[in-house]
Amino acid sequence: MTIRIDRRDFLKAAGASVGTLCLPSFVAGSEGSVQALARKPPPAYKSFMDVYRNQWKWDSVSRGTHLINCWYQAHCSWDVYVKDGLVYREEQAAEYPQTKKELPDFNPRGCQKGGCFSERMYDPTRLTYPIKRVGERGSGRWKRITWDQAFDEIADTYLDVTVNEGTDRTIWDLGPSINIGASFGCQGRLAQLTHAVALDPNPANGDGHHGIYETFGKFTMDRSLDDYFYSDLILIWGGNPVYTQIPNAHFFTEARYNGTKLIVVSPDYSPSATKADLWIPLKPGTDAALALSICHLILEQGKVNEAFVAEQTDFPFLVRSDTAKFLKHADIVKGGDAERHIVVDKNSQTLEQAPYRSLDLGKLAPLLDVRRRVVLADGKEVEVRSVYSLLRDRLAPYTPEAVASMCGTPASLIRRFAADIMAAKAMSNVSGSSVNKYYHGNLTGRAMVLIFVLLGQMGRNGAGFSAFSLLNNDGWEKYVYGLRWRERLGFLTEFGPGIAKKLISGGTVEMFFRDLASTSFTNPGSGLPLNTSSSLFWNVHGGIADLSDDAEKWIPEMKRSVKVHLKESLDRNWFPLQPPADRPPKIMFHFCSNALRAVRGAQRVREVLWPKLKLVVAIDWRMNTTTRYADIVLPASTWYERTDHKWVTPLMPFDHVSVAATPPLGESKDDFWIITMLAKHIQKRARERGISTVVSHLGKKIHLDRLYDDLTMDGKFKEDDIEKAAKAILELSSNLDHVDWEEHKKRGFTKYRGVGNSPSSISNMGEMKDGETFVPLTYHVRDKQPYPTATRRIQFYLDHPLHLEYDEALPCYKEPPKIGGDYPLTMTGGKTRWSIHGTWRDSRLMLRLQRGGPCLYLAPKDATARKIHDGDWIRVRNDVGSFNVRAKVSPSMRPGQALMYHAWEQHQFLGKDDMNVVSPSPIKPVELAGGHPHLRVGWLEGQPGGFDRDTRIEVERLSPKEVKQLKQAARVAS
Amino acid sequence: MSVDAPDRTMTSATRSLQYRCWALVFHDASSEADETLLDRALPPRSDDFRTVFVDAFDPAVSPDACALWEGSYSAQDRSGLFEELARYYEHFGLKRAVDAELPDHLSVELEFMHFLTYLEDECDRNGRETADLLLAQRDFLARHLHRLASGMKNRCNSKDPRIRAMVKGLHQFLDADNRFISGALRMFG
């Protein structure tokens, strides 16, 4: 190509174009055309200052939020200021109502990430047109294509794969930014109608709170932030809210003004620890020992709330010493009920069935500490012990003195900590999700909650254990369900008999909807999408399990290899995997996700899974690690460019809506449009190719030739109808049905009226009343509704074969494994202050506020021993891999601990590998337990987790020559 | 590729057309060529060139690209930059079109210069004073467009000769036009 802009050639070529005006980027500011404008006399101009003389006026100000997973700090309503179709700035709206006059309110809300989103959405990472790779995956060679080209290509590959290889070969990798609003609703409908597989994003992230799940049969339970004001003791244990929950942190300070004591437990002197009344330092991963020592002292000092534990827990339930299984009614009475548990009544000293339909004990007074012999129905005599009796023995070794050597925490400090806990009238906690990211995090979770339970600190204002936090409307499932709009009404009609049956049989509504979620992993005949566990998926199909071939060396207690355990669990159908191991995936859609950044050991996924994939499609508004390895990238609009709403948490019980302040930039489109148009092209290409239906692997007939018609409910919700769908979802919700959509948009938020019936949200099990704070689990504690566990109680004894095999029937402490090899440093992690996952990780503004790139925090002692100085380039290595990073030497670090805050994008590292390469994340066998009344897969929960906090590493300084070589190599590669 | 320096023999109409042409060159690699101009000024763009263009100028997909946004070469807050540009455009009666590139995009700033030079031509032909327009052109070039073109020139490391020619040529053109404007302003005293 030659460009001829020299005068002679140019003028000759341009010809008649001379003297014409063409301004595609502009319109006339006032009425009329730009041509008419040009004919008028131009305005006076003497210097650039003249352009500043006119008053600046915004074209509009609308309410917006960021439809992203800020999780514990979600969400904040902002005023979004618009001029000429662009967002210039945002400002905290700060109009949340106060729950009660004496309580602190929610205002203002917003963090520095949200405060610079107007800058972020226009920065150089923004995608504004569809692109297709023209080189190898990851080569960085792209071509701009049209939407039609993109959709037709995707549709044809999708039809080839679906017709020839099955519906389950297409995978939707759902990231944490799924909004449970219109965008996710549309994706959910498409997955439901096509029987493609949707990855449940939660377990691989390590957010499963598995110990809480084992104990409560669920893991969602959290309070409203203003309820912390009622606590006289708040434990920050496993979280770092001052650092990561910026809009929430003031509630803890305000509680302290009210006399509340704040105690922080963390290995490092964390930002939250700096605000505490007492900081309890400990070795990373030893929290369970500390918690069990507190429990030991509670028992020793006779502080157990016996009435509470007798009613709410499995403590009085009898366990057979011969089998280590619970004693059931059928064991002692021929023809007895095999599900009913047995207690000893204190008054009659007889064996009695524990109440089943309610936790209310009535006249029954169960003995807590039981050890006796009973005669079984077959005449055999066996010893039985109550769970409490077993627990007491279990706790006996955890004296403060013994635990001091496990945790590195002085015994005197443990005693002081225990005294504060036992003195509290109302104790709450901020757990965060760090604990779950330790290999034995389930045991830590169980031990921590045991403290609360022993003291009856549950289900009251200011008192109770917080774990996974989620609150959402329950209109989403109804929107996704079925084919036609009229079936929304059938949703409840269809499920009504099921709910009634559940209630008649002694179940609860919570149990019913949890069952429903569980079936979405096997065969969602209910018309919901087909889910599979992301952790299992990446382990089996992504090759992550290969990284743990040495797990038996790192984890001495392992009885069999990770792969053998995995196979056992899959073979026993304890965990359904879609598609099965022998049916490799062929198409991956990355939706609101960034799997190659997030999955521990993601490099392995690229090596193992990527070559099997015929097509990788990423939908995003910014270029990230995963889009770089995609075949086609579809540019999504940002959250200020669409109208949709999103889930929150009970901490902040307001549904938030983001109103489209501007049109999408460039050719970007909202997710709803993208998915609907994809369905339209699949339908069109199916008709053109003479394809009508296929039968899915689960026997469902998939109508490819009418996919768009079905997705849109016969045109009711077409591609441009994201707002209409968002409104419909709200109207279908039972806990937001009081909302007027237009008012909602104008205000930006509306308070929830209840926890709703959505499978995870319902587990909060408390009521939302005007003028009252929200307290979870009151339906259990106050109203005596059973818990969704095998014992229908808060359950500390697990008689699953895997728990018995690994000595985890009761909570205990196990030494942290040396994952990655026997190296001296433990690499811990945490959420970053400067980004929400990877979304702001490469934001220029956010990078200015920190080191400007990935860094590993090291204690001065460890750095000095290795001749490492602050800012040096270092290599981090173990048996699994290595990566390069800068050292940040910080006196806040505990010696032996190295801290890597999360979510750096792969391309931000020097060298080919990132921080995930050293974390193989071996599956913990007990987390594969299934085939049990409550240890089974559920939405977001009950699945094997992802771990990185026990990763062992060594670090060494890179020589200037090595750094130079790495930088040169990076330049060549780019 | 060669670029003639604007001089006294070159009318504002010609300069205006040159800005318009430069705006089209950098507007976007895949758009259909402008029927009345680019078809004749530029040969059709190939698939290969579209890839090269994305590689050279889109930092979202290519970390080494030289971005087409002024904000990439300025330490100034981006919204502050947008504001000043919007004020310039608004001062001369223009607003950003709904589907336009960002206000600091090279093609938009070139288009604005196309407009200012077009206005100058209109004034010339109608016997109106043009000094204010020349001042505005000089300031806009100095405060914005030249910074952007210089930033691109320094940042451009594309190996493709066409890209290098585009970036270098633009810089030369703007340098020359800047000299031309300064000369013209001297004539006004």
Side-chain angles (χ1 to χ4, degrees), chain A residues 332-535:
Chain A
I332 53 173
V333 175
K334 270 187 188 162
D337 193 322
E339 299 302 317
R340 305 296 172 98
H341 292 77
I342 303 300
V343 299
V344 176
D345 182 49
K346 192 190 292 181
N347 299 322
S348 65
Q349 291 291 313
T350 53
L351 299 179
E352 301 289 343
Q353 288 185 54
Y356 186 78
R357 290 175 175 276
S358 166
L359 301 178
D360 190 355
L361 293 169
K363 290 178 182 170
L364 189 68
L367 266 177
L368 283 180
D369 200 351
V370 179
R371 183 172 196 158
R372 62 158 66 178
R373 298 190 74 76
V374 299
V375 179
L376 302 180
D378 61 7
K380 188 178 166 189
E381 188 179 303
V382 296
E383 183 193 64
V384 293
R385 295 182 67 181
S386 63
V387 171
Y388 182 83
S389 166
L390 294 166
L391 184 67
R392 193 196 52 217
D393 287 0
R394 183 71 142 193
L395 293 175
Y398 294 98
T399 62
E401 288 69 26
V403 165
S405 63
M406 300 173 196
C407 300
T409 309
S412 59
L413 189 57
I414 296 172
R415 288 185 188 281
R416 182 177 162 191
F417 183 28
D420 282 339
I421 286 175
M422 284 187 269
K425 291 184 179 66
M427 179 172 70
S428 59
N429 73 311
V430 178
S431 73
S433 280
S434 193
V435 159
N436 322 297
K437 294 179 175 71
Y438 285 93
Y439 185 77
H440 291 307
N442 68 318
L443 291 170
T444 302
R446 292 171 73 189
M448 283 164 67
V449 81
L450 182 57
I451 298 172
F452 284 75
V453 167
L454 285 171
L455 296 168
Q457 294 278 15
M458 197 76 72
R460 291 183 279 117
N461 281 124
F465 190 82
S466 293
F468 191 82
S469 203
L470 179 66
L471 174 65
N472 62 277
N473 69 73
D474 55 14
W476 184 86
E477 287 87 353
K478 295 167 197 163
Y479 180 83
V480 168
Y481 171 79
L483 288 179
R484 304 284 177 259
W485 177 247
R486 62 177 179 276
E487 290 171 11
R488 290 340 78 194
L489 302 172
F491 187 81
L492 282 180
T493 312
E494 181 169 317
F495 291 130
I499 294 170
K501 195 175 162 191
K502 194 80 184 175
L503 294 176
I504 290 165
S505 66
T508 62
V509 175
E510 179 194 21
M511 290 175 188
F512 175 82
F513 281 102
R514 296 181 55 78
D515 290 349
L516 189 67
S518 205
T519 60
S520 74
F521 287 78
T522 50
N523 190 349
S526 55
L528 293 173
L530 175 66
N531 291 314
T532 212
S533 163
S534 55
S535 51

Side-chain angles (χ1 to χ4, degrees), chain A residues 4 29 45-46 52 122 129, chain B residues 40 58 78 84 93 132 139:
Chain A
R4 297 172 296 173
Y45 180 95
K46 296 301 173 200
Y52 282 93
Y122 300 131
Y129 47 85
Chain B
R40 286 173 283 163
D58 191 342
R78 190 95 181 274
E84 178 161 311
D132 282 11
D139 284 358

Side-chain angles (χ1 to χ4, degrees), chain A residues 81-123:
Chain A
Y81 291 81
V82 174
K83 175 85 168 174
D84 289 349
L86 294 173
V87 179
Y88 273 72
R89 61 194 295 262
E90 52 276 277
E91 218 171 56
Q92 292 160 317
E95 286 179 6
Y96 298 103
Q98 194 172 14
T99 305
K100 243 180 190 173
K101 204 176 169 186
E102 67 267 27
L103 296 174
D105 65 29
F106 293 87
N107 299 303
R109 289 190 67 77
C111 69
Q112 81 281 42
K113 283 86 72 183
C116 73
F117 190 66
S118 54
E119 195 273 347
R120 182 63 168 155
M121 66 192 281
Y122 300 131
D123 83 3

Side-chain angles (χ1 to χ4, degrees), chain B:
Chain B
M1 181 178 127
S2 61
V3 182
D4 280 4
D7 56 31
R8 288 179 194 175
T9 65
M10 191 175 278
T11 64
S12 45
T14 313
R15 288 173 54 230
S16 180
L17 184 60
Q18 284 186 305
Y19 274 110
R20 182 178 161 199
C21 190
W22 278 113
L24 285 166
V25 167
F26 284 100
H27 181 254
D28 138 343
S30 67
S31 67
E32 293 303 314
D34 182 280
E35 285 180 13
T36 60
L37 180 61
L38 269 192
D39 272 359
R40 286 173 283 163
L42 302 175
R45 294 175 175 199
S46 61
D47 261 11
D48 163 60
F49 187 70
R50 286 175 181 154
T51 301
V52 169
F53 190 96
V54 167
D55 202 40
F57 297 125
D58 191 342
V61 299
S62 174
D64 277 353
C66 61
L68 295 170
W69 303 295
E70 187 190 341
S72 298
Y73 310 102
S74 161
Q76 188 184 357
D77 167 58
R78 190 95 181 274
S79 60
L81 174 61
F82 284 0
E83 181 187 333
E84 178 161 311
L85 290 166
R87 283 179 177 277
Y88 259 108
Y89 305 150
E90 203 167 279
H91 186 79
F92 288 93
L94 297 175
K95 279 180 82 71
R96 177 179 174 270
V98 170
D99 56 353
E101 294 281 359
L102 293 170
D104 65 338
H105 192 276
L106 178 59
S107 67
V108 178
E109 294 194 7
L110 286 164
E111 240 180 70
F112 183 61
M113 282 299 287
H114 161 58
F115 181 65
L116 291 181
T117 45
Y118 182 89
L119 288 183
E120 186 193 338
D121 183 48
E122 281 284 308
C123 286
D124 258 346
R125 285 195 276 120
N126 291 295
R128 294 188 196 122
E129 184 63 64
T130 58
D132 282 11
L133 286 165
L134 285 164
L135 281 172
Q137 291 167 24
R138 183 197 65 184
D139 284 358
F140 192 78
L141 270 180
R143 293 180 67 82
H144 297 292
L145 196 45
H146 201 267
R147 171 164 64 179
L148 170 51
S150 298
M152 286 178 62
K153 187 179 156 225
N154 294 335
R155 182 85 166 87
C156 178
N157 52 17
S158 172
K159 291 184 175 62
D160 191 285
R162 295 165 292 185
I163 298 293
R164 299 183 73 83
M166 285 164 67
V167 173
K168 190 177 166 194
L170 173 70
H171 192 258
Q172 285 175 348
F173 168 73
L174 294 178
D175 265 352
D177 200 42
N178 195 34
R179 285 195 299 275
F180 172 80
I181 294 166
S182 300
L185 280 168
R186 274 197 297 277
M187 286 171 61
F188 279 101

